[in-house]
Amino acid sequence: MTQLEQFLTRAEALLGRLEAFLPPALAEPDWNAAVAFRWRKSNGRGWLQPVRHMSPIALDDLHNIGPQKAQIEQNTRQFVEGLPANNVLLTGARGTGKSSLIKACLNQFADRGLRLIEVDKSDLGDLADIVDLVSVRPERFVIFCDDLSFEEGEGGYKALKVALDGSVSAQSDNVLIYATSNRRHLLPERMSDNAGYRHGDDGDLHPGETVEEKISLSERFGLWVTFYPFKQDDYLDIVAHWLAHFGCNAEQIEEAKPEALRWALQRGSRSGRVAWQFAKDHAGKMKK
């Protein structure tokens, strides 16, 4: 082997090792494999992974959130029909159906071209790449960020701000961002932030820059939808729905109410999630 051949062999081996550290071209996913996808990353490489088994939950399965359901369904319908629609921030009590409502909307409109891409908070820096990947597609994409909140200094915060409306380029008209969170403002608020407030000579109040920065992200969502804790009757209504779903009759559902209340008391919550968990446990014990 000549010196030139040895050099070329070594160079090829070196390039092979370096390739793993280079930003790869985004692979085109199999768009027909699923209606929902997850953004995955490994060794700096990102790709859309099809979700083979999507939750079958329907809008009719979600009880006692009528106004919230109407808002999200209407906004999603506008989006699917190519009409103006807003990015959405769903906030409020845990277990009240925020994430389930987004999944139910996907099931409602999937046959009309709606698709969902779930992105973890840690991967929000890739939003621009994801939007570029789907912007040429005929489908309508909801980018879904679940249980979203940020601590000071996290990079995904600024990436999300840019993706919502802060970039020099316009947001793709076939992409919306739906995010859920247990708190209205996605960054923590501290007592020290109030030090930035000042009063003008005429009594006007000027918020400090720190506070302005913290509320600016939430304001970039055009639609805010708030969810509230369920009352006892609401909780029992949801329990009854899911028990009927598992095959229990009216008498069995009525007999299960005291146990359902004890179940909620033990968990300190009368949420839709707790109702679903109780119904699965109870129906399973009854071999439904």
Side-chain angles (χ1 to χ4, degrees):
M1 181 180 292
T2 65
Q3 287 185 336
L4 178 59
E5 290 173 331
Q6 290 177 344
F7 172 78
L8 291 176
T9 300
R10 291 175 181 174
E12 185 177 353
L14 177 60
L15 288 174
R17 291 195 296 269
L18 289 175
E19 187 179 11
F21 300 97
L22 295 176
L26 292 176
E28 188 78 11
D30 181 0
W31 296 109
N32 296 319
V35 297
F37 300 83
R38 291 191 183 96
W39 180 253
R40 296 300 195 200
K41 285 190 77 173
S42 177
N43 296 324
R45 299 171 182 264
W47 71 94
L48 288 175
Q49 178 189 61
V51 177
R52 305 288 182 181
H53 305 287
M54 183 64 192
S55 168
I57 193 165
L59 290 172
D60 289 342
D61 290 324
L62 302 173
H63 290 210
N64 303 304
I65 53 170
Q68 297 90 335
K69 184 162 58 173
Q71 283 182 286
I72 301 299
E73 182 182 10
Q74 179 61 38
N75 190 73
T76 307
R77 185 183 303 276
Q78 291 170 206
F79 178 54
V80 169
E81 293 176 354
L83 301 172
N86 277 303
N87 299 305
V88 183
L89 178 61
L90 301 86
T91 65
R94 66 187 189 275
T96 47
K98 299 184 292 294
S99 302
S100 296
L101 181 50
I102 296 174
K103 297 170 189 174
C105 279
L106 173 63
N107 292 328
Q108 178 80 3
F109 295 106
D111 60 351
R112 299 177 60 180
L114 185 65
R115 300 293 181 265
L116 184 141
I117 299 174
E118 185 173 5
V119 179
D120 291 337
K121 180 177 68 171
S122 59
D123 294 327
L124 287 175
D126 297 328
L127 278 178
D129 292 333
I130 298 171
V131 172
D132 284 345
L133 181 63
V134 304
S135 62
V136 297
R137 295 292 306 174
E139 299 91 351
R140 317 290 286 178
F141 292 89
V142 167
I143 294 179
F144 175 38
C145 306
D146 195 21
D147 198 18
L148 191 62
S149 63
F150 297 97
E151 298 303 324
E152 301 286 355
E154 286 191 288
Y157 165 75
K158 294 190 180 297
L160 182 56
K161 283 179 66 175
V162 170
L164 287 167
D165 68 0
S167 173
V168 67
S169 61
Q171 183 177 341
S172 177
D173 65 0
N174 72 331
V175 175
L176 283 183
I177 297 175
Y178 282 15
T180 70
S181 179
N182 290 332
R183 61 191 190 197
R184 183 73 166 266
H185 297 309
L186 301 176
L187 275 169
E189 299 174 82
R190 310 184 192 286
M191 289 294 294
S192 59
D193 295 339
N194 293 326
Y197 276 87
R198 59 187 176 84
H199 293 273
D201 294 336
D202 58 357
D204 285 345
L205 182 66
H206 303 279
E209 292 181 357
T210 300
V211 176
E212 286 288 285
E213 172 74 6
K214 290 188 174 184
I215 65 176
S216 65
L217 178 57
S218 296
E219 288 184 343
R220 280 175 160 79
F221 290 91
L223 185 61
W224 289 0
V225 181
T226 304
F227 291 70
Y228 302 98
F230 290 132
K231 299 176 182 177
Q232 178 171 297
D233 288 345
D234 297 334
Y235 166 73
L236 291 175
D237 174 65
I238 299 170
V239 167
H241 169 78
W242 288 119
L243 287 176
H245 169 80
F246 286 121
C248 295
N249 59 38
E251 182 180 355
Q252 292 169 330
I253 292 171
E254 187 66 28
E255 292 175 350
K257 286 183 177 180
E259 187 178 347
L261 292 175
R262 286 192 293 271
W263 181 280
L265 185 62
Q266 290 171 352
R267 283 151 183 78
S269 172
R270 292 193 297 256
S271 70
R273 180 182 298 125
V274 170
W276 162 251
Q277 291 167 347
F278 167 76
K280 285 198 298 182
D281 178 82
H282 188 75
K285 291 175 179 176
M286 296 179 66
K287 297 181 169 39
K288 292 293 181 182

